[in-house]
Amino acid sequence: MSEQDLKEAFQEKLTLFIGELDNGNGTGGTLLHSPTLNKQGLHHYARAQYFYKTAKKAAKDLKTPIKWQLKIIPNIGHNYRLMGKAAAEHLYANL
């Protein structure tokens, strides 16, 4: 992506959802591992934190504000039904 593409992306309202307990102990889904991937974290929760932190740093380096937010959902692991419910509640609360 170009710098301009990133600046435009950072201006979009985006909420990243991650379950507080999505730390590798869940049974659903597949989590790939390799030396490169593991630099981002060993589980979904860590990788979400890494992604958000990296995006914020990129925005700072580009001297542009970022409208993204990270929302950690308490007491939920890798469960699409519970995460979907949390996302729906967030969307309807913010209409």
Side-chain angles (χ1 to χ4, degrees), residues 62-78:
L62 292 170
K63 297 180 174 81
T64 192
I66 184 169
K67 293 183 179 178
W68 297 6
Q69 63 177 324
L70 177 64
K71 186 164 180 73
I72 299 169
I73 309 302
N75 302 314
I76 295 179
H78 197 73

Side-chain angles (χ1 to χ4, degrees), residues 84-95:
K85 182 178 183 281
E89 289 171 357
H90 174 82
L91 288 171
Y92 287 113
N94 290 292
L95 287 179

Side-chain angles (χ1 to χ4, degrees), residues 5 9 13 24 26 35 39 42 52 60 69 71 79 82:
D5 290 336
K13 187 175 179 184
K39 288 179 183 177
L42 297 178
Y52 184 63
K60 182 178 178 182
Q69 63 177 324
K71 186 164 180 73
N79 183 310
L82 294 176

Side-chain angles (χ1 to χ4, degrees), residues 7-58:
K7 287 179 179 182
E8 290 174 15
F10 292 147
Q11 294 310 298
E12 297 294 327
K13 187 175 179 184
L14 175 70
T15 303
L16 304 165
F17 282 81
I18 188 66
E20 172 187 43
L21 304 177
D22 198 351
N23 57 15
N25 297 324
T27 57
T30 301
L31 182 63
L32 300 176
H33 290 280
S34 74
T36 301
L37 288 172
N38 290 347
K39 288 179 183 177
Q40 299 174 21
L42 297 178
H43 45 74
H44 292 110
Y45 183 82
R47 290 179 185 181
Q49 297 276 353
Y50 176 87
F51 178 79
Y52 184 63
K53 180 180 175 182
T54 301
K56 285 182 65 172
K57 182 183 180 316

